[in-house]
Amino acid sequence: MAVIVTFEFPGAGQELYDAVIDRVTGGRGFTRFADLGDPGLVSHAAGPVDGGFRVTEVWESAEALENHAKTFGPILADLGQADVRPTVVPAHHVVVR
């Protein structure tokens, strides 16, 4: 079952997001799903919110997200964001282009 994942980064901005993407992709950037190297990502959106930055993703399954977290988690910790815990909820309906 697909899951919706939302990360909130209070006090952070685009600089943190860009640093994470740079490390996750080995500096290649993120313009297509293949840039991540982890299968299972359905959608990704990121942007500023009052007081911080938000990332919302849809993953094909909780297992796919957990596999990605093995790479992503240590990067967040290294950038001082070890305490960030995403909100994960089951997706009822997902439509993509």
Side-chain angles (χ1 to χ4, degrees):
M1 169 185 281
V3 293
I4 301 166
V5 183
T6 303
F7 290 89
E8 299 281 348
F9 297 96
Q14 184 175 335
E15 299 80 17
L16 172 66
Y17 174 81
D18 291 344
V20 171
I21 293 299
D22 188 56
R23 290 191 188 193
V24 169
T25 66
R28 294 182 310 273
F30 180 37
T31 59
R32 55 195 176 98
F33 293 139
D35 293 334
L36 287 184
D38 290 328
L41 182 62
V42 175
S43 70
H44 173 94
V49 294
D50 285 342
F53 209 78
R54 178 181 295 150
V55 176
T56 301
E57 299 176 328
V58 176
W59 286 84
E60 289 178 352
S61 66
E63 293 78 21
L65 172 62
E66 290 168 9
N67 285 334
H68 176 65
K70 292 173 186 172
T71 299
F72 184 71
I75 291 170
L76 281 180
D78 189 48
L79 292 171
Q81 300 293 319
D83 293 337
V84 171
R85 297 289 179 252
T87 301
V88 180
V89 297
H92 170 69
H93 188 75
V94 177
V95 177
V96 295
R97 183 187 269 206

